[in-house]
Amino acid sequence: MVGFDEAGRGSLAGPVVAAAVILPPDFPVEILDDSKRLSPRKREAAQSVIRSRACWGIGSADHRTIDRVNILEATMLAMRDAFDDMSGKFGEWASENGLAGAVMRGMTDGTRCPDVPVECHAEPRADGKYPAVMAASILAKTYRDALMAEYDRLYPEYGYAGHKGYPTRGHIAVCRRLGPSPIQRLTFRY
């Protein structure tokens, strides 16, 4: 199973990031959960194991793309890019993990599947039910959180390391006071 999930869909700034993950049969699934239910320390530990043992890919769509096509379409583009990134690694990884010749099928958190060349199903709250989707949730969140920490260094007055671009009172207040940051999603209300 290819698990898909995203991070940053409800944010007012920065990219939406998606991950696609296939777990090996012997993966320690007990370390997984919906990324929002894991502490930052547990998320970081899990993402290290996922990156070292799973077949995975990351995709993203920046704030300009989100403004141009809307957040849902941008999320689907990011998921497709994550799938393409993962697919490039799959052959060798599958051989190493006894999965050569395996047929991929996808599962995504939500109500819509990305345009990928495998059978795919969408299910709300899949990020709390299916290990591969949980792993994708963790990778997308940790990757996006690291990006937002980089943006915080570039635009410290906006506080991105703290709120990650989500619509907190502090984020909304600074946008009203200073105007939108260079990574603001201009089609989102704040």
Side-chain angles (χ1 to χ4, degrees):
M1 175 186 290
V2 181
F4 293 96
D5 202 8
E6 55 70 33
R9 198 165 159 181
S11 181
L12 301 178
V16 61
V17 172
V21 178
I22 300 174
L23 299 174
D26 62 344
F27 190 86
V29 295
E30 64 277 1
I31 68 170
L32 302 174
D33 200 347
D34 176 353
S35 65
K36 295 178 289 300
R37 292 195 295 238
L38 293 173
S39 69
R41 186 176 59 76
K42 286 186 177 182
R43 263 196 311 270
E44 285 299 323
Q47 72 92 21
S48 292
V49 177
I50 295 163
R51 285 175 177 261
S52 69
R53 307 248 337 252
C55 186
W56 58 274
I58 296 284
S60 67
D62 68 14
H63 61 286
R64 288 180 199 90
T65 302
I66 293 166
D67 285 341
R68 190 177 75 247
V69 301
N70 78 46
I71 189 60
L72 178 59
E73 293 306 319
T75 300
M76 295 298 110
L77 291 172
M79 286 184 178
R80 188 184 67 212
D81 289 349
F83 179 85
D84 291 346
D85 184 32
M86 183 215 60
S87 293
K89 306 168 191 173
F90 180 72
E92 184 178 335
W93 179 87
S95 293
E96 291 170 1
N97 287 277
L99 295 171
V103 175
M104 286 188 219
R105 60 187 173 85
M107 174 62 73
T108 185
D109 180 47
T111 58
R112 186 169 159 201
C113 288
D115 183 18
V116 293
V118 298
E119 179 184 338
C120 187
H121 298 281
E123 185 176 320
R125 293 188 268 304
D127 56 356
K129 296 178 186 174
Y130 301 98
V133 181
M134 292 176 195
S137 170
I138 291 165
L139 283 191
K141 178 149 181 53
T142 56
Y143 188 90
R144 186 176 188 281
D145 284 356
L147 283 176
M148 295 311 289
E150 292 287 323
Y151 285 126
D152 187 70
R153 285 189 272 288
L154 293 172
Y155 314 112
E157 61 276 12
Y158 287 90
Y160 289 129
H163 56 66
K164 311 293 189 270
Y166 286 94
T168 64
R169 265 190 242 156
H171 184 197
I172 292 168
V174 76
C175 287
R176 288 182 178 156
R177 190 174 78 250
L178 300 176
S181 80
I183 62 163
Q184 215 72 41
R185 298 174 185 178
L186 300 177
T187 55
F188 282 45
R189 299 190 115 178
Y190 58 93

